[in-house]
Amino acid sequence: MELKSIYKNWFKNSTWSIILIISFLTGITLILLFVLKIINYSWLTGWALGLTSFLVGIFISKKSVELLLKNENHFLFYFFFLLRIGAYATPLFIAFFNNNIIFDYKGVLIGLSPILLLPFTNHKVLNIKNY
């Protein structure tokens, strides 16, 4: 069996694998930088805040697609879209307005970095099939 087929089968079975791998790699990188005393504790707390808000946004996205397919209420879908944008923006506002004491905005941006992969993995995360 070639490496390409193993790689395809591994990602086909797990829907969260790409997002978890990126989050794990950024977490390991930040912990390594913290151990080497290059960054401080506020970066790690910012990363945890950003990652938490990213996972909340994914949950909101899954719920909105599920309710759209069940109810066909597009206004509810728009509401969930605005709610998801608020879930992504709230940690950034928290990090910018507390003067980097607890949460650093750079750590929050690193925690929100898996959002950049959503256009490529959205069909796997949402389990959307051909309708």
Side-chain angles (χ1 to χ4, degrees), residues 68 72-82:
L68 179 67
E72 296 180 5
N73 185 357
H74 60 278
F75 294 113
L76 187 62
F77 184 76
Y78 296 148
F79 170 72
F80 276 118
F81 175 74
L82 292 174

Side-chain angles (χ1 to χ4, degrees), residues 1-81:
M1 186 179 275
E2 354 181 307
L3 185 62
K4 184 177 179 181
S5 63
I6 293 172
Y7 178 76
K8 277 181 146 179
N9 289 336
W10 188 69
F11 279 111
K12 191 183 293 184
N13 295 335
S14 177
T15 58
W16 292 91
S17 60
I18 295 172
I19 294 168
L20 290 177
I21 286 173
I22 295 298
S23 301
F24 179 73
L25 290 176
T26 57
I28 292 295
T29 305
L30 285 175
I31 290 172
L32 181 67
L33 290 173
F34 177 71
V35 168
L36 294 174
K37 305 228 186 274
I38 296 173
I39 60 174
N40 56 5
Y41 184 71
S42 64
W43 281 59
L44 292 176
T45 56
W47 173 75
L49 180 68
L51 189 62
T52 304
S53 69
F54 167 72
L55 293 175
V56 167
I58 291 291
F59 174 74
I60 291 171
S61 179
K62 286 180 68 103
K63 193 68 167 171
S64 67
V65 168
E66 178 185 311
L67 288 175
L68 179 67
L69 293 175
K70 186 168 54 170
N71 297 336
E72 296 180 5
N73 185 357
H74 60 278
F75 294 113
L76 187 62
F77 184 76
Y78 296 148
F79 170 72
F80 276 118
F81 175 74

Side-chain angles (χ1 to χ4, degrees), residues 92-103:
L92 288 173
F93 288 136
I94 290 171
F96 281 130
F97 292 135
N98 73 359
N99 297 327
N100 298 333
I101 297 170
I102 301 171
F103 304 109

